[in-house]
Amino acid sequence: RVLSLELNKDRDVERIHRSGINTLDIEPVEGRYMLSGGSDGVIVLYDLENLSRKPSYTCKALCSVGRSHPDVHRFSVETVQWYPHDTGMFTSSSFDKDLKIWDTNTLQPADVFHFEGTVYSHHMSPVATKHCLIAVGTKSPKVQLCDLKSGSCSHILQGHRQEVLAVSWSPRHEYVLATASADSKVKLWDVRRASGCLTTLDQHNGEKSKASSEAANTAHNGRVNGLRYTNDGLHLLTIGTDDRMRLWNSSTGENTLVNYGKVCNESRKGLKFTISCGCNPEFAFVPYGSAIAVYTVFTGELITMLRGHYSTVNCCVFQPNFQELYSGSKDCNILAWIPALREPVPDDISEKSLPQQHLNPAYEDAWSSSDDEG
């Protein structure tokens, strides 16, 4: 199904945003509701379900935090995320230096965390049962951990030298966090440990010669602005402005040396790519200019380029129940990429000219003589 993803002519997503779309998230409970965040601060909530049951339909916007809303973000929304355990709450963070916790039903902020610098990325653990920490990457090199229960932002992870562009909790270990920074480094942390840092990923697996001028333990030769665990948490995929994507063993920290070729990445901020779920093999969907590149995660093969946006693609999100992809772009559109289920009849063949048995398989002669097979 993933190999046959195409821009679906029968499904639209209602166009609400008047500026570029930076971030998308589909709630993991039902896989039905999607959030989007725009560069004008607007947040929209969509229902992806086809309630009309018609073959062609538009995913409707249920509500939005628009420009006239008293609590709207003042600048670009960079990350939206549903609370992982129910749809009653979602989170958003912005270049206005705020992280907001929203009550979905009232569209009012239940809490606001304010930071000293631009917020590039935040993430809540999809599996945590013993903590309610939101990891936040900002213009500061310090990674902030905000506690939803206490409403305080006391915990800080120190080790990066420059701004933190992407953060992601492990889907396997609830206390393990990965962070990616403009200092070319990716760090894994156990947030229970005093020192925090478990390891700093090294693209050369410790085999770099001492004579080299390159700094030790860099994950990329440039800013690392994309970070994503595979769904089983065993591997970590990173993207850097060195136009490289790397796959790491998340328990050993080893670079698996999968070669994805040149992965063009001109983003000056976090790059929101995604990985399929429930497919074999797994695929990575990576914004690539105005297209989305689809790679096999473990062999590095570029399978296809999904083209349909008119401008830079900023984010994409995977819907695992139906193996669908949604993408958001600077062109203000959200596009739905759905597996093509039927072979279309070529336009030059009208139904009438087809032999009768092709129209109804019940009348078709399924026997074949061995002479024809030869």
Side-chain angles (χ1 to χ4, degrees), residues 60-132:
K60 289 286 183 205
L62 295 180
C63 54
S64 67
V65 179
R67 289 306 312 154
S68 58
H69 191 289
D71 298 297
V72 67
H73 281 289
R74 296 190 311 286
F75 303 128
S76 172
V77 173
E78 292 299 305
T79 312
V80 287
Q81 190 192 359
W82 287 101
Y83 179 61
H85 308 295
D86 69 62
T87 54
M89 186 164 81
F90 66 88
T91 54
S92 63
S93 59
S94 160
F95 277 179
D96 67 8
K97 308 178 183 176
D98 284 349
L99 163 69
K100 297 189 178 186
I101 317 299
W102 299 86
D103 178 321
T104 311
N105 300 310
T106 64
L107 280 196
Q108 300 297 318
D111 211 345
V112 179
F113 295 94
H114 188 73
F115 301 92
E116 285 176 8
T118 307
V119 183
Y120 288 105
S121 169
H122 78 269
H123 193 229
M124 278 179 286
S125 167
V127 295
T129 54
K130 299 186 186 73
H131 72 75
C132 284

Side-chain angles (χ1 to χ4, degrees), residues 134-149:
I134 305 179
V136 186
T138 69
K139 208 156 183 73
S140 154
K142 296 172 182 152
V143 180
Q144 313 257 357
L145 299 179
C146 300
D147 192 336
L148 270 185
K149 279 205 180 89

Side-chain angles (χ1 to χ4, degrees), residues 6 19 82 263:
E6 60 173 28
S19 71
W82 287 101
V263 183

Side-chain angles (χ1 to χ4, degrees), residues 16-327:
I16 304 284
H17 286 280
R18 297 212 176 116
S19 71
I21 294 152
N22 294 329
T23 170
L24 295 169
D25 192 42
I26 296 175
E27 45 85 17
V29 183
E30 290 179 80
R32 172 174 172 179
Y33 300 104
M34 181 169 74
L35 290 166
S36 62
S39 48
D40 56 359
V42 170
I43 298 169
V44 183
L45 196 164
Y46 301 89
D47 185 348
L48 301 180
E49 191 157 311
N50 179 7
L51 295 170
S52 71
R53 297 282 177 256
K54 291 177 183 158
S56 292
Y57 74 102
T58 299
C59 300
K60 289 286 183 205
L62 295 180
C63 54
S64 67
V65 179
R67 289 306 312 154
S68 58
H69 191 289
D71 298 297
V72 67
H73 281 289
R74 296 190 311 286
F75 303 128
S76 172
V77 173
E78 292 299 305
T79 312
V80 287
Q81 190 192 359
W82 287 101
Y83 179 61
H85 308 295
D86 69 62
T87 54
M89 186 164 81
F90 66 88
T91 54
S92 63
S93 59
S94 160
F95 277 179
D96 67 8
K97 308 178 183 176
D98 284 349
L99 163 69
K100 297 189 178 186
I101 317 299
W102 299 86
D103 178 321
T104 311
N105 300 310
T106 64
L107 280 196
Q108 300 297 318
D111 211 345
V112 179
F113 295 94
H114 188 73
F115 301 92
E116 285 176 8
T118 307
V119 183
Y120 288 105
S121 169
H122 78 269
H123 193 229
M124 278 179 286
S125 167
V127 295
T129 54
K130 299 186 186 73
H131 72 75
C132 284
L133 296 171
I134 305 179
V136 186
T138 69
K139 208 156 183 73
S140 154
K142 296 172 182 152
V143 180
Q144 313 257 357
L145 299 179
C146 300
D147 192 336
L148 270 185
K149 279 205 180 89
S150 68
S152 77
C153 224
S154 54
H155 213 100
I156 285 172
L157 304 174
Q158 299 199 50
H160 282 298
R161 299 251 171 95
Q162 290 181 48
E163 52 198 7
V164 178
L165 299 171
V167 295
S168 180
W169 291 97
S170 160
R172 198 174 187 86
H173 304 290
E174 65 175 292
Y175 292 105
V176 174
L177 175 72
T179 59
S181 165
D183 64 8
S184 307
K185 298 195 173 187
V186 173
K187 290 178 178 288
L188 302 183
W189 314 80
D190 181 332
V191 299
R192 295 167 301 182
R193 288 167 51 146
S195 62
C197 192
L198 290 170
T199 183
T200 302
L201 300 184
D202 174 17
Q203 59 182 306
H204 304 292
N205 290 332
E207 289 170 18
K208 196 86 184 125
S209 74
K210 296 280 183 286
S212 166
S213 57
E214 249 177 60
N217 285 20
T218 54
H220 287 266
N221 302 327
R223 299 155 60 88
V224 192
N225 60 350
L227 182 69
R228 188 89 198 193
Y229 276 96
T230 53
N231 294 286
D232 57 14
L234 293 175
H235 291 85
L236 185 66
L237 205 51
T238 62
I239 292 184
T241 53
D242 54 359
D243 293 340
R244 287 281 175 260
M245 184 155 74
R246 297 207 161 91
L247 182 72
W248 310 82
N249 178 318
S250 61
S251 55
T252 64
E254 194 176 5
N255 180 358
T256 62
L257 305 176
V258 173
N259 181 9
Y260 300 93
K262 185 179 179 185
V263 183
C264 279
N265 172 8
E266 287 163 12
S267 174
R268 299 298 305 145
K269 48 189 192 177
L271 188 73
K272 310 280 198 270
F273 68 101
T274 193
I275 296 176
S276 66
C277 180
C279 303
N280 186 12
E282 295 288 1
F283 300 93
F285 303 95
V286 183
Y288 200 108
S290 62
I292 300 153
V294 184
Y295 297 92
T296 49
V297 170
F298 293 104
T299 62
E301 199 181 339
L302 175 60
I303 299 291
T304 184
M305 296 288 267
L306 301 175
R307 300 182 194 279
H309 282 289
Y310 300 113
S311 184
T312 308
V313 178
N314 292 324
C315 55
C316 46
V317 65
F318 192 71
Q319 207 287 15
N321 308 6
F322 302 109
Q323 250 99 52
E324 299 165 349
L325 186 75
Y326 292 85
S327 56

